[in-house]
DNA sequence: CTGGTTGCAAACCCTTTGCAATCAT
DNA sequence: ATGATTGCAAAGGGTTTGCAACCAG
């Protein structure tokens, strides 16, 4: 897998070890869809490998972020989520406030306008975050309150 | 002051009391510039009124958010900040990652594109958050690392 | 009076870390 | 061997809350 190579290269260049846990966690992470919180992901890992600890998952996700296999995203929930980064285009998020559905999007026009704005204020661009919150089609229809399915 | 009226109306309609603390806290909040964290603001309040407790400040800022005197903003620092809302136009933020300088902006074109995107995905708009991170002009010049001046 | 509010301390929740045991190389 | 890593338990750091004493209306 290409992702494994990324991890191997990063490990080599930093003098890190490729432990079993790291390889397993990468394998599980690649299977995950969407944007998992650490705890959600830890539960997935634990089901397959009950011996892997929370801190290892925590530290490994940080490691993945460092080598750009993963990206931390923050939907304002008071906790971090992780999404795949390697091989994925830059994108922003559209989030349903009722059911938690997230849609990824990339709008070149918005991107361009953002660059322009940074330039206008003489800022050197580093990053940006755009999140649109709303109600998805489904949630608009059933007016009843449904809980966010995410943990 | 108009803001006080907003608070009074909100209190009346919800059966809440206009305590001294609330009036004082509003007064201090209106004097604050920029985007304060709860702790920063609590320190300001404490200097003038040492008897006002942290939870009162915390709860009062929440109260201000409810009646739209204030808005909670999250710059991904792992804590909330509050800014004035009443009488202020909707805006987003440009943030210097080195010194913490924040610039408020509003770009009608970006706003329009966002609406369009929501519509395209059949989402009913609720809110959005756009933050551009970069280095401000000053920080680009002095390459030295300076600490974020904010608490 | 009486329900709303305050201040304190403690609880929460997520994140982060010290450390002894264990692993990869 | 030897430095990196793990898992645990505990510490952090910000946010939130239970509660008895205290106010506003």
């Amino acid at each position: 897998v290409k992702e494994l190579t990324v991890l191997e290269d990063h490990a080599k260049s930093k003098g890190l070890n490729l432990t079993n846990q790291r390889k397993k966690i990468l394998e599980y992470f690649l299977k995950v869809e969407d944007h998992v919180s650490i705890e959600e992901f830890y539960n997935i890992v634990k089901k397959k490998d009950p011996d892997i600890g929370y801190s290892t998952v925590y530290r490994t996700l940080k490691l993945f972020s460092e080598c750009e296999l993963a990206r931390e995203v923050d939907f304002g929930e008071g906790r971090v989520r992780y999404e795949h980064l390697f091989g994925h285009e830059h994108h922003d998020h559209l989030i349903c406030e009722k059911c938690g559905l997230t849609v990824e999007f990339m709008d070149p026009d918005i991107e361009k306008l953002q660059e322009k704005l940074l330039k206008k204020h003489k800022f050197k661009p580093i990053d940006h975050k755009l999140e649109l919150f709303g109600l998805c089609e489904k949630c608009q229809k059933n007016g009843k309150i449904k809980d966010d399915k995410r943990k």
Side-chain angles (χ1 to χ4, degrees), chain A residues 37 73-81 148 150-151:
Chain A
S37 69
V73 291
D74 174 3
F75 293 162
E77 306 167 288
R79 72 173 122 187
V80 172
R81 291 181 173 276
D148 191 321
R150 300 170 301 177
K151 176 75 59 37

Side-chain angles (χ1 to χ4, degrees), chain A residues 50-97:
Chain A
D51 292 342
I52 295 182
Y54 184 93
S55 354
T56 303
V57 170
Y58 164 81
R59 286 188 274 231
T60 305
L61 287 174
K62 278 263 186 281
L63 177 65
F64 291 172
S65 301
E66 277 164 30
C67 58
E68 304 196 304
L69 283 169
R71 175 162 83 129
E72 296 188 343
V73 291
D74 174 3
F75 293 162
E77 306 167 288
R79 72 173 122 187
V80 172
R81 291 181 173 276
Y82 286 86
E83 64 178 15
H84 297 169
L85 179 52
F86 178 80
H88 290 243
E89 297 285 324
H90 161 76
H91 60 262
D92 293 299
H93 298 101
L94 216 167
I95 302 141
C96 174
E97 291 220 323

Side-chain angles (χ1 to χ4, degrees), chain A residues 93-104:
Chain A
H93 298 101
L94 216 167
I95 302 141
C96 174
E97 291 220 323
K98 202 178 262 181
C99 72
L101 170 74
T102 66
V103 177
E104 302 184 346

